[in-house]
Amino acid sequence: MHQVACHQCDLVQKIPPLHPKATARCLRCGAILLRVKPDSINRTLAWTLAGLVLYVVAMTFPFLEIQKGGVVQETALLTGVRQLYQQDEAILSVLVFMTCVLIPLIQMGGLLYVFTSLKGKVRFKYAIPVFRLFQHVKPWSMMEIYMLGILVAMVKLGKMATIMPGPAVTAFGLLTFVLTFAVSAVDAHLVWEQLGGDG
Ligand SMILES: [Zn+2]
């Protein structure tokens, strides 16, 4: 049983475990309290795995290709972060590292851990604290913004050079969407119910 306060009329009521695709409505005003997301566990896992593949591509393939005097130099994202740091762009480099490297990894690692646990019906030891961490990290994912930041800064660095985005940029763009789908497939109510946490 789960206690929920109606967002329309504030009536607090208990919701029993719901069937797939079921909707719980407020007893007093009929507002929707909760809607079960169909096949949430499989869809979350599928999007998370797709995200991890894109993440590996984004980290290992060239992020930028810099052409200067007939010489082509390729830069990976992590190299770019280090170069920004060395060029006195420390704050930007830390922000890019956090939002583009660390937070997506925490999000996907957390989802993989928690949802493998749910899928296998095995209760992993840290599933509750990991899911709590995931819910805190959610609003901090602003990859798109810092992606633009690093592109602008890198273009600035290579003034007299021709700069082309590498395959990692495409992978990163796709990763942004895939992560959004993964996060929106998460049914927090279901997770807390199965983990037996207090939500
Ligand atoms: Zn109500």
Side-chain angles (χ1 to χ4, degrees):
M1 290 291 237
H2 221 75
Q3 276 214 341
V4 181
C6 174
H7 55 93
Q8 294 284 341
C9 70
D10 292 327
L11 178 68
V12 175
Q13 45 216 304
K14 285 190 170 145
I15 301 178
L18 294 177
H19 293 292
K21 295 190 183 177
T23 305
R25 286 179 182 277
C26 175
L27 290 170
R28 185 154 66 193
C29 72
I32 291 174
L33 295 176
L34 191 89
R35 183 177 276 139
V36 176
K37 295 182 182 176
D39 208 15
S40 164
I41 294 175
N42 286 329
R43 285 194 311 134
T44 306
L45 274 176
W47 285 120
T48 303
L49 290 174
L52 282 167
V53 172
L54 288 168
Y55 184 83
V56 171
V57 173
M59 289 303 140
T60 50
F61 279 72
F63 188 75
L64 289 175
E65 291 167 356
I66 302 163
Q67 288 178 31
K68 210 170 185 176
V71 183
V72 180
Q73 198 196 341
E74 291 177 342
T75 307
L77 181 65
L78 285 172
T79 321
V81 168
R82 203 181 61 217
Q83 282 170 353
L84 280 178
Y85 191 79
Q86 288 163 347
Q87 307 271 347
D88 292 329
E89 298 273 6
I91 294 170
L92 183 63
S93 102
V94 170
L95 282 175
V96 170
F97 182 75
M98 293 286 290
T99 54
C100 297
V101 182
L102 200 59
I103 288 177
L105 193 63
I106 292 175
Q107 279 188 318
M108 289 184 294
L111 284 179
L112 194 64
Y113 185 80
V114 171
F115 280 80
T116 310
S117 167
L118 296 181
K119 173 87 179 159
K121 309 233 183 283
V122 191
R123 171 73 174 278
F124 290 170
K125 198 175 170 190
Y126 301 107
I128 288 177
V130 166
F131 192 65
R132 203 160 274 153
L133 174 72
F134 163 80
Q135 288 194 309
H136 281 293
V137 158
K138 231 159 61 173
W140 286 97
S141 180
M142 296 193 292
M143 287 172 5
E144 309 85 348
I145 295 163
Y146 293 107
M147 273 289 290
L148 278 176
I150 196 172
L151 279 172
V152 169
M154 295 300 286
V155 168
K156 231 170 61 186
L157 291 182
K159 277 170 201 110
M160 302 303 288
T162 313
I163 296 193
M164 305 276 290
V169 173
T170 313
F172 235 104
L174 290 173
L175 177 60
T176 315
F177 287 103
V178 167
L179 255 183
T180 310
F181 293 144
V183 170
S184 67
V186 172
D187 189 334
H189 178 73
L190 176 89
V191 174
W192 287 124
E193 205 171 81
Q194 298 212 358
L195 291 179
D198 48 20

